[in-house]
């Protein structure tokens, strides 16, 4: 099976209309401050409003699945009714927010989504999400896309990541398959924001072997917008208990299999990370796509200080491999050069994340509007990001030497 994955720039024509919903992202923190105009539905609403006809509205912010379900439905055609919102990426996320679509099928036959036509953005269930800059005019290409996914659950939540690592003014549009605007939200980033999440594995195409990158680039998880992060069919008693949260946020209680028990304040972990026989070993109770270079991210600390990675300058790769799944991945032990000059006695910590829809490099030039362009084969794996424990170790007297430049290493497709 061949799978194509592209890191590159598409760009978009900025439409200089700004919504009232504005947030400011700080330089190094992941906190998002709402300035004005965000309508958060009341959790006490007992019955959702009936479906309405599509019309442009403010995209509301929500803080839980219960708040998302309290929104009014919108009929978008094709037998689908949707609820739309955005939310923070979660306490352990990077410089991004999440767009959500709760879709319910009321048509005849098996639920499905198909599209063929000009690029409208990233699929978000039966609708599309598109990010554009409103303070800089850029040119959008005229590429065309086509896809089909069937069967889908009759009711489920879909998610996509909206990167906000760059200074500027941005607008998130949610549109129908016919290009009709449904909802908009505006975001303001006063200063570029560092991303702690970065690449964790590389693959040498000549040797078909994995290694640890000496110079990893900043990256974010992506989500397959045609694959639900949480199905809503079946008993709601299976939903996690505890503080309000949304599937796709970090950390997440909406992983399968669900945790059997968790004490207050206990970390939510979907992965285990350990060192064994000179390798990092990543294990999961849920199935994963076992490509460490494309599905694992990491963040590092040295003596308690978090280490940020540089942004990418643009890269395109073509991948032809068999899709493999499993519950374990291994990456050789490595200490990236981005950690700086380590000395004996330094404490190094690392945590990994499993990205359900491939790793997405953050480009130096800014977002390209695609919001995650990889649509992988629909195989039964975790649809939400999984976090590992935070593994700590002390640097010994013979600290590992590392290449002096990034170009000293090769990567598949470069």
């Amino acid at each position: 099976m061949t799978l194509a994955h592209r890191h590159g720039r598409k760009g978009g024509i900025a439409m200089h209309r700004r919504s009232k919903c504005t947030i400011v992202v700080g330089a190094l923190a992941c906190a998002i401050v709402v300035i004005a105009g965000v309508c958060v539905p009341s959790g006490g609403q007992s019955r959702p409003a009936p479906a309405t006809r599509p019309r442009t509205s403010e995209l509301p912010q929500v803080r839980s699945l219960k708040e998302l379900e309290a929104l009014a439905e919108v009929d978008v055609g094709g037998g689908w009714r949707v609820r739309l919102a955005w939310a923070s990426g979660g306490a352990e996320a990077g410089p991004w927010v999440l767009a959500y679509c709760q879709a319910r099928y009321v048509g005849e036959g098996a639920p499905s989504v198909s599209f063929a036509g000009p690029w409208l953005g990233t699929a978000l269930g039966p609708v599309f999400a598109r990010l554009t800059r409103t303070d800089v005019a850029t040119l959008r290409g005229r590429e065309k896309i086509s896809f089909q996914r069937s069967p889908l659950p009759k009711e489920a939540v879909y998610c996509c990541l909206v990167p906000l690592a760059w200074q500027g003014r941005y607008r998130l549009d949610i549109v129908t398959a016919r290009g009709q605007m449904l909802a908009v939200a505006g975001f303001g980033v006063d200063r570029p924001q560092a991303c702690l999440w970065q690449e964790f594995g590389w693959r040498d195409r000549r040797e078909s072997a994995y290694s640890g990158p000496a110079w990893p680039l900043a990256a974010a998880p992506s989500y397959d917008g045609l694959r639900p992060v949480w199905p809503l069919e079946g008993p709601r008693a299976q939903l996690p208990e505890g503080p309000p949260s949304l599937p796709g946020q970090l950390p997440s209680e909406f992983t399968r299999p669900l945790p059997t028990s968790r004490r207050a304040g206990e970390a939510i972990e979907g992965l285990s990370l350990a060192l064994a026989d000179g390798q990092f070993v990543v294990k999961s109770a849920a199935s994963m796509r076992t490509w460490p270079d494309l599905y694992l991210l990491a963040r590092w600390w040295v003596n308690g200080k978090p280490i940020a990675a540089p942004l990418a300058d643009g890269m395109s790769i073509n991948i032809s491999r068999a899709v493999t799944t499993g519950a374990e991945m291994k990456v050789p032990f490595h200490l990236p050069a981005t950690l700086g000059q380590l000395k004996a006695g330094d404490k190094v910590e690392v945590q990994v994340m499993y990205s359900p829809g491939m790793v997405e490099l953050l480009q130096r030039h800014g977002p390209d509007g695609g919001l995650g362009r990889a649509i992988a084969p629909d195989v039964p794996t975790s649809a939400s990001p999984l976090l590992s424990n935070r593994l700590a170790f002390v640097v010994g007297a013979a600290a590992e030497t590392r290449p002096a430049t990034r170009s000293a290493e090769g990567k598949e497709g470069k």
Side-chain angles (χ1 to χ4, degrees), residues 6-361:
R6 178 180 180 270
H7 290 298
R9 185 175 186 176
K10 292 189 180 74
I13 298 175
M15 301 176 65
H16 295 274
R17 186 181 69 175
R18 192 174 300 173
S19 74
K20 297 179 182 178
C21 168
T22 304
I23 63 174
V24 176
V25 181
L28 293 177
C30 295
I32 295 173
V33 180
V34 178
I35 300 299
V38 178
C39 301
V40 179
S42 169
Q45 184 175 346
S46 59
R47 182 176 298 176
T52 61
R53 298 180 65 84
R55 57 186 178 85
T56 304
S57 62
E58 294 287 348
L59 186 67
Q61 180 189 7
V62 295
R63 295 168 299 206
S64 68
L65 186 58
K66 183 177 180 180
E67 290 185 350
L68 178 61
E69 291 184 302
L71 297 174
E73 284 187 324
V74 177
D75 189 336
V76 295
W80 290 101
R81 295 181 177 181
V82 301
R83 296 182 175 100
L84 304 168
W86 70 272
S88 74
E92 303 299 326
W96 61 74
V97 298
L98 301 173
Y100 284 95
C101 171
Q102 181 184 335
R104 184 168 68 95
Y105 187 71
V106 296
E108 298 180 356
S112 64
V113 171
S114 61
F115 179 81
W119 179 83
L120 296 174
T122 292
L124 185 59
V127 298
F128 292 86
R130 180 176 62 226
L131 185 67
T132 58
R133 281 195 70 168
T134 59
D135 57 344
V136 176
T138 54
L139 180 64
R140 177 183 299 157
R142 296 183 178 180
E143 63 269 31
K144 294 185 178 181
I145 60 172
S146 63
F147 59 80
Q148 181 174 4
R149 183 67 61 86
S150 178
L152 293 176
K154 288 190 174 181
E155 188 173 10
V157 176
Y158 299 84
C159 175
C160 73
L161 183 139
V162 183
L164 295 172
W166 310 267
Q167 182 177 356
R169 295 293 179 264
Y170 302 91
R171 193 184 72 191
L172 174 64
D173 301 330
I174 309 295
V175 302
T176 70
R178 294 186 177 132
Q180 182 176 1
M181 191 80 71
L182 293 173
V184 296
F187 301 93
V189 183
D190 285 344
R191 292 172 293 177
Q193 181 171 340
C195 181
L196 303 182
W197 291 105
Q198 53 198 263
E199 299 170 289
F200 187 59
W202 276 7
R203 186 176 188 266
D204 189 320
R205 63 180 178 178
R206 295 161 297 185
E207 300 179 4
S208 298
Y210 292 104
S211 62
W215 296 92
L217 295 172
S222 65
Y223 302 70
D224 183 345
L226 296 176
R227 187 160 177 256
V229 289
W230 191 256
L232 292 173
E233 297 176 305
R236 296 299 178 92
Q238 295 182 1
L239 289 174
E241 298 179 356
S245 60
L246 284 156
Q249 289 183 320
L250 292 167
S252 177
E253 295 186 43
F254 290 80
T255 57
R256 289 181 180 271
L258 295 174
T260 55
S261 63
R262 186 173 70 86
R263 296 184 297 272
E266 184 179 1
I268 305 169
E269 297 167 359
L271 300 177
S272 67
L273 175 63
L275 270 174
D277 300 325
Q279 297 191 89
F280 288 112
V281 181
V282 181
K283 294 183 179 181
S284 170
S287 181
M288 303 179 290
R289 294 189 180 100
T290 52
W291 295 350
D293 56 331
L294 297 179
Y295 286 93
L296 288 181
L297 299 96
R299 57 181 178 178
W300 299 79
W301 296 262
V302 175
N303 297 323
K305 179 185 177 181
I307 305 299
L311 301 178
D313 288 318
M315 177 170 58
S316 296
I317 59 175
N318 291 315
I319 304 162
S320 295
R321 311 182 206 164
V323 175
T324 57
T325 61
E328 181 179 283
M329 284 188 264
K330 294 182 179 180
V331 176
F333 175 79
H334 62 283
L335 297 172
T338 48
L339 300 185
Q341 187 63 45
L342 299 175
K343 59 183 183 300
D346 282 342
K347 180 182 179 182
V348 176
E349 297 172 272
V350 60
Q351 182 181 37
V352 300
M353 179 207 310
Y354 173 73
S355 170
M358 287 195 178
V359 168
E360 196 71 28
L361 294 183

